[in-house]
Amino acid sequence: MDYDAQLKLQAYLDGELPEAEAREVANWLAQDREAIALFAELRNTRQALVGLEVGVTLPESREFFWSKIEREIRRQEQLGPPARSVPFFSAWRRWLVPAGAVAAAALAVLVGLSGGSGVSLVETAVADPAAFTYHDFSTGTTLVWFSYPADDELADNTPAATVQ
Amino acid sequence: MTSLPTTLLLLQSSNLSMRRQTFSTALRPWFWAWVVMLAVNGLAAPAADLKLEALLIWGTNEQTSPDANHKPVGPKLKKKLEELPLKWTHYFEVKRIQFDVPLSNARKVPLSEKCELEVKNLGHSKIEVTLFGKGKQVATRTQELSKEDTLILGGNAPGATSWFVVLRRPE
């Protein structure tokens, strides 16, 4: 069976052929065992794929999703090339003494300011599955978006002209 | 006259003394810096009241708001909103409230008839924010809110518009 015949069989299965051509293929199928076998295989494959086509829904809007990817790409692009390697002892001499002093001072400040209770977590998540959080570290902005329907809006001061 | 080995010993001893002195001199500024840090640390007490500002914002693609009382948000907030992945182009300030929250206390801030915010001052710029919608608790969030930080809660509003509650430290 040539390639065009296979394509015609596939088109017949998908219901894409005009009535006259469809009738021809039906007659052909009644006479050709090879065509029947291929048609059965194509039909089984289509049914298997239909069962697998489960829609994937994101917990956030499309704009949010792609924006996060775009920002991550930009962030990685902004990172410079890896630093040139320096001898271990040179780096040690240059950085360890001041770094140790700064670390000790920072530790003293942290312990003092936290009242000895340890460093607290920066944030905790919103205990709401319908909400998601977006951080913009460059501007220090945190957005918590609630994906509720518009009917559940909280702002009643929106102008009446916009209410559906 | 001293013998040669004794002279060498004396020289070595002198070098060691000089090295000790150099080492001590080099560390002295670090020591005093550490002492100053400790003193500052001891004096630093958490601020009693936390000054905050809450804004109710309406997001839309319309250039003007039908409500004459609404005014466009300020340039800083507008820039922040525009840098977020939001689809709206114009933002209007519906309400703005400045308030203080004493340490370890909570303060309720009504922003509209349906929307209310409760902010608790946990100390060291850390707050617990609870959003109430129509009297029901919608969400609670705990985070640090430094002077540079902005917390924005938002959601959909009718007519393909949006609402936002912005919480920040007033300038």
Side-chain angles (χ1 to χ4, degrees):
Chain A
M1 189 187 305
D2 62 1
Y3 184 64
D4 287 342
Q6 291 176 8
L7 280 181
K8 190 167 272 190
L9 210 53
Q10 177 71 63
Y12 175 71
L13 179 66
D14 294 338
E16 294 170 350
L17 291 180
E19 194 177 344
E21 276 191 64
R23 204 176 300 120
E24 281 178 21
V25 173
N27 291 334
W28 172 41
L29 273 172
Q31 298 163 8
D32 191 338
R33 282 175 172 270
E34 191 185 358
I36 292 170
L38 179 59
F39 184 77
E41 189 178 338
L42 289 171
R43 189 173 52 195
N44 290 340
T45 304
R46 191 176 70 164
Q47 284 173 348
L49 288 175
V50 165
L52 288 173
E53 286 176 357
V54 180
V56 177
T57 53
L58 292 170
E60 55 204 28
S61 71
R62 193 171 48 189
E63 289 84 1
F64 269 105
F65 184 78
W66 287 113
S67 167
K68 282 196 290 187
I69 294 172
E70 187 183 359
R71 279 161 193 267
E72 183 60 21
I73 292 170
R74 275 193 208 152
R75 192 185 66 80
Q76 290 187 4
E77 283 176 351
Q78 283 173 357
L79 293 175
R84 189 170 53 88
S85 63
V86 291
F88 174 75
F89 286 108
S90 301
W92 184 86
R93 280 183 201 161
R94 192 173 171 187
W95 297 112
L96 194 58
V97 174
V102 170
L107 186 65
V109 171
L110 281 174
V111 169
L113 289 181
S114 60
S117 61
V119 182
S120 59
L121 287 173
V122 174
E123 61 180 88
T124 56
V126 175
D128 187 345
F132 66 90
T133 306
Y134 177 86
H135 297 284
D136 188 341
F137 293 104
S138 61
T139 59
T141 307
T142 302
L143 171 67
V144 183
W145 185 259
F146 299 95
S147 307
Y148 299 125
D151 289 339
D152 286 344
E153 96 288 359
L154 301 175
D156 62 344
N157 286 347
T158 47
T162 66
V163 177
Q164 289 178 330
Chain B
M1 189 173 176
T2 54
S3 63
L4 190 57
T6 311
T7 310
L8 278 174
L9 277 174
L10 281 172
L11 280 173
Q12 282 173 359
S13 170
S14 170
N15 274 343
L16 192 64
S17 172
M18 281 177 68
R19 278 184 194 170
R20 276 182 186 155
Q21 195 175 0
T22 309
F23 188 65
S24 164
T25 309
L27 281 184
R28 193 173 295 161
W30 291 108
F31 171 75
W32 285 113
W34 182 63
V35 169
V36 169
M37 291 296 280
L38 282 180
V40 170
N41 184 18
L43 291 172
D49 285 9
L50 186 64
K51 292 184 186 300
L52 293 169
E53 185 175 62
L55 295 93
L56 183 61
I57 305 293
W58 180 57
T60 177
N61 286 327
E62 301 295 327
Q63 288 193 347
T64 55
S65 171
D67 191 328
N69 294 322
H70 292 180
K71 56 179 182 178
V73 297
K76 276 189 176 178
L77 180 57
K78 188 181 179 195
K79 188 169 181 292
K80 286 197 172 190
L81 288 165
E82 285 175 346
E83 285 176 352
L84 291 171
L86 300 168
K87 61 184 177 183
W88 295 279
T89 53
H90 293 85
Y91 299 93
F92 294 94
E93 187 179 312
V94 178
K95 193 166 186 176
R96 179 195 293 238
I97 298 177
Q98 290 195 355
F99 58 99
D100 295 342
V101 190
L103 182 63
S104 303
N105 282 325
R107 175 83 187 270
K108 280 202 169 183
V109 186
L111 289 168
S112 72
E113 286 180 10
K114 297 176 184 175
C115 175
E116 191 175 37
L117 210 61
E118 186 181 79
V119 183
K120 187 174 182 182
N121 180 0
L122 302 176
H124 306 304
S125 301
K126 196 173 178 182
I127 55 168
E128 181 185 270
V129 183
T130 305
L131 180 69
F132 293 92
K134 299 175 183 174
K136 292 180 182 175
Q137 184 176 335
V138 177
T140 299
R141 182 180 181 82
T142 305
Q143 73 166 69
E144 285 187 6
L145 194 76
S146 69
K147 287 186 178 175
E148 296 79 26
D149 291 338
T150 306
L151 172 63
I152 303 175
L153 312 173
N156 293 311
T161 62
S162 55
W163 62 267
F164 298 95
V165 173
V166 177
L167 193 64
R168 64 186 181 186
R169 308 273 289 268
E171 293 177 349

